[in-house]
Amino acid sequence: MKTYIGTSRKWMNLRIQITTLLYFLPVLYLGELGLNKFIRFVKRLLYFLSKMKDNKYVQTGQGVKINLYVPAFPTRAFFQACRKVMEFKEKMPAVTVLMSVTSACRFNCKHCYQKLDKGKDTDIQLLIRAAQYLQNKGMGFFNIEGGEPFLVFERLQKLVEAIDKRSEILINSTGDGITPDRLKILKRNGNLSGIMFSLHTDDPHHLNAFMGSVDAWTTLEKGIETCHKVNLPVMFNSCLSRDDYYNGTFERVMERARSFGAVLIQMIKPKPAGGWLETGADTFTAQDIALIREKLISYNNLKAFTNYPAIAPMIIDEDREHFGCTAGGTDRFYINAKGDVQPCEFLNISFGNIAMEPFEKIYERMRTTFVTPGDCWLCEKYSPTIAALFREHHLSSLPLSPDLSAKITTGMEQGNTPEFYDKVVKI
C-alpha cells in the first residue's frame, strides 16, 4: 500500500492540479465555458482541494483516493465529479449516492439503520434506471450495499454492469456470499474501487456479539482473504462508541485494519437511526469531538502512521469548516432496497418510492427541499420526532411515509451553510 502525506501529498496535489487543468482545457477551447467562468471553475477546484489538507491520500487499483467519496484520480469518474463545481446557473449536482440492492442479511447488527426497513426488494430495473439517470446528471460515486448484496448476486451484478466508467463503485459487504469468481465478474466492469467491510471492534467475540452471529468474524476474514486473492482493495467502516476512543479500542481497530491490508477506513459516528432510533446513540461532547479529531488527523498525517490505512473521518468531513450535512441530494442521498428515496441512510424519512412514482420526480422534489447543506446533523436533531411519529402511528417499518416525513421536512432547520458551500458559490 502506498500512501501520501506531507511532501509527497503536496507533490500529488500539484500533479492533480496540472492534470485536471489540462484535462478541462478543451472546455474553454470549445466554448462550453467562457474565460471568466473557466477561471472560476479552476478556483473552485483548488478551493475543494484545500479541504483535503488533513487527508491521507492512498493508492488503489483505480488510482489515488484523496477522500472516500471522491473517485480515484485520474479516472474518468474523478473528472466527472470535478464537473460538480462547473455548474453556475443551477444547483450543483450530487456526486454520491448509496443504493441498497436487497434487505436480505444473515446478520443482526445492533446499530443497523435498516433494521426496520421491512418490505419486498424493488424491481432491479427501477434501480438501474435511477442509476443511469444519475450518471447523466453527473453522479461520480456509487456506494452499493444491502442488507448483504452478495446474497442476491444477480441483482448486484446487473446494477454494477449498468454503471459505466463515468462513475466509481464501492460495494459494502459482511463477506457473506463473496467468492473469487463473483469478484472477478464485478471487476470486469473496470470501475470497482473495492469492497468495504464492517470492523466495529478488534475482538472477534465482540464483533460476533455486535453483529448478532457467531460466524461474523470468520466470514469477515474469508471475505478479506478472497479480495486479496483477486487483487481487489479492502476498505472498512467502523462505528465506534465514545468510550472506544478512550479505552484503546480505536488504536487496536486501526492496528487490525492495517494487518488486514486495508487501504482506507471510514470512522462513522454512532447515529440514532434504525436499530438505535428509539434507544439513541452515544452522546459526544465538544471535548470528545476535539479529542477524536486530533486522533484521526494524527493517523492521517504523522509519519509514525504512514503504513496505516487512510481514515475517512465523518465528524470532520461533516463539520462546519468542511462540507456539513449534505443529505437530500445536495451532495449525497440514499435509495433503500424497497425503493424509498431518502435524504440519508441515517435519516429515516422518505420523499417517495420509485415503484410508485418516477425516480426523477422524487429526486427533484427532494433536492428542492434540501436547497443547501447545513451544519446541523439532521439525523441526530430529528430522530426523536421520527421515533415519536413511529410510535404514534403504530408503525412496524421505516422510513416514514412521504406524508409523515413532510411533518419533519416542512420547516426543517438545517443550520448554517458550511464553509465550503458558503464560499464555493461565491467564487
Side-chain angles (χ1 to χ4, degrees):
M1 177 180 67
K2 183 175 182 179
T3 59
Y4 301 83
I5 63 172
T7 302
S8 65
R9 183 175 56 202
K10 290 180 180 178
W11 281 109
M12 179 53 64
N13 275 337
L14 182 60
R15 180 186 167 196
I16 291 172
Q17 292 167 16
I18 294 173
T19 304
T20 304
L21 176 63
L22 294 175
Y23 182 91
F24 282 107
L25 274 178
V27 168
L28 178 62
Y29 295 151
L30 297 176
E32 184 177 348
L33 288 181
L35 179 59
N36 181 56
K37 286 185 177 178
F38 183 79
I39 292 172
R40 290 176 64 192
F41 165 63
V42 173
K43 287 182 177 179
R44 285 179 170 188
L45 286 176
L46 292 175
Y47 180 54
F48 171 77
L49 202 59
S50 74
K51 293 298 180 181
M52 303 293 108
K53 65 182 180 64
D54 289 323
N55 288 9
K56 177 186 290 182
Y57 296 178
V58 61
Q59 185 77 41
T60 70
Q62 291 288 306
V64 178
K65 293 287 286 182
I66 67 173
N67 177 281
L68 172 59
Y69 295 119
V70 175
F73 169 83
T75 61
R76 184 180 176 188
F78 174 84
F79 297 117
Q80 164 105 326
C82 287
R83 284 183 170 269
K84 176 183 179 72
V85 295
M86 193 182 286
E87 179 58 61
F88 293 95
K89 294 181 180 179
E90 306 292 337
K91 179 178 177 178
M92 288 187 287
V95 173
T96 302
V97 62
L98 177 64
M99 302 181 80
S100 175
V101 292
T102 184
S103 58
C105 186
R106 289 195 275 239
F107 294 91
N108 188 24
C109 298
K110 293 179 180 179
H111 72 306
C112 182
Y113 52 81
Q114 296 181 40
K115 192 172 284 289
L116 296 173
D117 286 18
K118 301 172 184 176
K120 182 181 178 181
D121 292 348
T122 195
D123 184 345
I124 191 62
Q125 291 302 322
L126 294 176
L127 286 177
I128 287 172
R129 285 200 286 272
Q132 292 172 336
Y133 173 85
L134 290 168
Q135 277 208 293
N136 291 333
K137 287 290 185 178
M139 189 63 61
F141 187 90
F142 284 82
N143 194 181
I144 303 175
E145 61 161 23
E148 173 47 65
F150 283 90
L151 293 181
V152 291
F153 183 71
E154 184 178 344
R155 287 170 60 86
L156 174 62
Q157 182 183 350
K158 286 180 178 178
L159 181 57
V160 167
E161 291 178 348
I163 300 170
D164 63 42
K165 291 183 180 180
R166 288 175 295 170
S167 306
E168 181 176 293
I169 299 171
L170 175 66
I171 298 174
N172 291 358
S173 176
T174 61
D176 193 7
I178 287 180
T179 67
D181 287 343
R182 287 179 169 182
L183 292 182
K184 289 176 183 177
I185 289 171
L186 298 178
K187 279 189 68 177
R188 289 202 303 252
N189 212 55
N191 55 352
L192 178 61
S193 62
I195 305 296
M196 177 172 272
F197 300 92
S198 294
L199 188 67
H200 308 306
T201 172
D202 66 299
D203 181 83
H205 298 294
H206 290 166
L207 186 75
N208 289 345
F210 188 84
M211 297 183 69
S213 171
V214 296
D215 297 321
W217 188 269
T218 55
T219 302
L220 169 69
E221 288 185 315
K222 289 178 182 177
I224 293 169
E225 181 182 355
T226 305
C227 286
H228 288 315
K229 282 182 179 178
V230 301
N231 197 29
L232 187 63
V234 168
M235 303 182 194
F236 290 115
N237 61 68
S238 188
C239 183
L240 300 184
S241 70
R242 173 195 174 277
D243 291 344
D244 288 335
Y245 289 97
Y246 291 90
N247 61 21
T249 298
F250 164 73
E251 287 78 7
R252 293 192 297 272
V253 165
M254 290 301 299
E255 188 61 43
R256 278 284 192 183
R258 185 189 66 80
S259 67
F260 276 139
V263 298
L264 185 148
I265 180 167
Q266 181 185 30
M267 304 309 298
I268 300 173
K269 184 178 182 293
K271 299 291 188 178
W276 284 343
L277 177 63
E278 298 202 67
T279 61
D282 278 0
T283 299
F284 288 66
T285 67
Q287 290 75 20
D288 295 331
I289 296 294
L291 177 139
I292 295 167
R293 285 175 61 97
E294 183 179 351
K295 284 177 179 282
L296 301 183
I297 291 173
S298 293
Y299 268 80
N300 268 351
N301 288 275
L302 297 184
K303 287 185 178 181
F305 304 115
T306 300
N307 295 322
Y308 285 75
I311 296 177
M314 179 179 285
I315 64 168
I316 296 177
D317 286 344
E318 296 183 356
D319 67 18
R320 186 176 182 181
E321 287 70 40
H322 288 80
F323 309 105
C325 175
T326 60
T330 298
D331 198 54
R332 66 186 306 272
F333 71 102
Y334 176 52
I335 306 177
N336 74 9
K338 57 187 178 182
D340 291 301
V341 179
Q342 300 179 214
C344 171
E345 65 270 32
F346 301 121
L347 192 57
N348 299 138
I349 63 176
S350 172
F351 275 81
N353 190 289
I354 61 176
M356 303 176 185
E357 195 177 2
F359 166 72
E360 53 268 29
K361 185 176 179 180
I362 302 170
Y363 183 59
E364 291 307 319
R365 183 165 63 237
M366 178 177 65
R367 276 174 49 89
T368 299
T369 300
F370 288 81
V371 179
T372 59
D375 60 1
C376 174
W377 291 340
L378 300 174
C379 54
E380 298 187 6
K381 180 174 182 176
Y382 289 101
S383 63
T385 308
I386 295 172
L389 289 169
F390 182 79
R391 292 190 299 268
E392 178 186 342
H393 292 271
H394 309 289
L395 303 178
S396 59
S397 67
L398 287 173
L400 298 179
S401 68
D403 287 344
L404 288 178
S405 297
K407 294 179 180 293
I408 294 171
T409 57
T410 301
M412 176 180 279
E413 298 177 358
Q414 296 176 249
N416 298 312
T417 304
E419 185 175 286
F420 175 79
Y421 282 93
D422 180 44
K423 293 183 178 181
V424 75
V425 295
K426 299 175 183 176
I427 294 176

